[in-house]
Amino acid sequence: MTSAVPPTVPTQATQATSVDVRSISVVVAYHSGFGHTARQAAAVRDGAASVPGVAAELRDVGVLDDDLWTALESADAIVFGSPTYMGSPSAVFQAFAEASGGVWARQGWKNKVAAGFTNSAGISGDKLNTLTSMAVLAAQHGMHWVNLALPPGWLYRSNGDIDDLNRLGGFLGAMAQSPSDAGPDTSPSTGDLRTAHHLGRRVAEVTAQLTGNHRSADLAGTAAR
């Protein structure tokens, strides 16, 4: 699978925002069956890394080793990603979700930021079910879910364009569509990758805001003592 993503120029929805906080860690924890979701994951990572002060990395959840769990433990934000197979996350992603039970038992991801993205061959493909599953996983871990915060594009208006941001009209997370006979070198579409980039950037910005708020609260508490 490849993680190469064509360079994208942020639109008004993803314009640069300066973040003056400590270095923030965003981990994109994903599975990709044929490489399409890997491209989407790379776009999410690049979007997060485009925010100053943010370090973003990819982690394949198909490899459940100590390096994965350590990276997730130290992350400020985790963005979950999986293809949608038969209307649900892939079996590989679900195995990862179930393996996180030990983390849940000690609330190791509590108060981290979370978000999600998915890809399928169909325009719908019941991708919302996959995103809902990820949101519930995050909720069980006590995480803060970040939505896409974009209006629908493409078919929402008669003059919509297939390369619009959020062309598939999702709200809970970033959706992408890759034709079953197209390789990961040509899909997902530019619009879907730009949407994934937007999600990554939004996660980083929200994480920076929450981190700053926590830091301010800590300082206020110190001053009060």
Side-chain angles (χ1 to χ4, degrees), residues 88-104:
S88 299
S90 67
V92 172
F93 184 88
Q94 192 58 32
F96 156 71
E98 293 179 12
S100 72
V103 180
W104 169 84

Side-chain angles (χ1 to χ4, degrees), residues 117-134:
F117 61 93
T118 187
N119 172 84
S120 70
I123 290 179
S124 171
D126 293 318
K127 285 187 277 282
L128 178 59
N129 191 55
T130 295
L131 293 175
T132 300
S133 175
M134 292 174 178

Side-chain angles (χ1 to χ4, degrees), residues 56-155:
E57 62 176 308
L58 297 173
R59 290 285 174 170
D60 184 348
V61 300
V63 182
L64 299 176
D65 57 13
D66 289 343
D67 287 344
L68 171 67
W69 299 116
T70 298
L72 296 176
E73 183 76 20
S74 61
D76 297 297
I78 302 173
V79 187
F80 301 116
S82 168
T84 293
Y85 293 155
M86 303 304 292
S88 299
S90 67
V92 172
F93 184 88
Q94 192 58 32
F96 156 71
E98 293 179 12
S100 72
V103 180
W104 169 84
R106 55 184 174 78
Q107 292 292 277
W109 295 346
K110 185 177 181 179
N111 290 330
K112 293 183 186 294
V113 173
F117 61 93
T118 187
N119 172 84
S120 70
I123 290 179
S124 171
D126 293 318
K127 285 187 277 282
L128 178 59
N129 191 55
T130 295
L131 293 175
T132 300
S133 175
M134 292 174 178
V136 171
L137 171 66
Q140 290 193 341
H141 278 284
M143 304 172 79
H144 303 299
W145 186 264
V146 175
N147 57 47
L148 189 58
L150 280 176
W154 195 22
L155 298 179

Side-chain angles (χ1 to χ4, degrees), residues 2-221:
T2 177
S3 63
V5 177
T8 57
V9 178
T11 64
Q12 287 185 342
T14 58
Q15 288 178 348
T17 299
S18 177
V19 178
D20 184 18
V21 295
R22 68 174 176 80
S23 179
I24 291 169
S25 171
V26 177
V27 173
V28 182
Y30 76 99
H31 168 246
S32 181
F34 300 95
H36 305 88
T37 309
R39 292 196 73 201
Q40 193 182 15
V44 173
R45 175 203 59 196
D46 292 348
S50 70
V51 176
V54 173
E57 62 176 308
L58 297 173
R59 290 285 174 170
D60 184 348
V61 300
V63 182
L64 299 176
D65 57 13
D66 289 343
D67 287 344
L68 171 67
W69 299 116
T70 298
L72 296 176
E73 183 76 20
S74 61
D76 297 297
I78 302 173
V79 187
F80 301 116
S82 168
T84 293
Y85 293 155
M86 303 304 292
S88 299
S90 67
V92 172
F93 184 88
Q94 192 58 32
F96 156 71
E98 293 179 12
S100 72
V103 180
W104 169 84
R106 55 184 174 78
Q107 292 292 277
W109 295 346
K110 185 177 181 179
N111 290 330
K112 293 183 186 294
V113 173
F117 61 93
T118 187
N119 172 84
S120 70
I123 290 179
S124 171
D126 293 318
K127 285 187 277 282
L128 178 59
N129 191 55
T130 295
L131 293 175
T132 300
S133 175
M134 292 174 178
V136 171
L137 171 66
Q140 290 193 341
H141 278 284
M143 304 172 79
H144 303 299
W145 186 264
V146 175
N147 57 47
L148 189 58
L150 280 176
W154 195 22
L155 298 179
Y156 182 67
R157 297 186 184 278
S158 59
N159 62 348
D161 189 278
I162 195 170
D163 286 331
D164 284 345
L165 281 169
N166 195 23
R167 72 179 182 111
L168 299 179
F171 295 94
L172 194 59
M175 296 182 177
Q177 182 262 337
S178 300
S180 59
D181 59 350
D185 55 330
T186 60
S187 58
S189 70
T190 299
D192 291 346
L193 294 178
R194 289 173 57 232
T195 302
H197 186 281
H198 165 87
L199 177 66
R201 186 173 184 85
R202 174 165 163 75
V203 167
E205 291 175 341
V206 170
T207 305
Q209 292 170 356
L210 291 176
T211 302
N213 288 340
H214 289 320
R215 175 183 272 182
S216 297
D218 291 342
L219 291 175

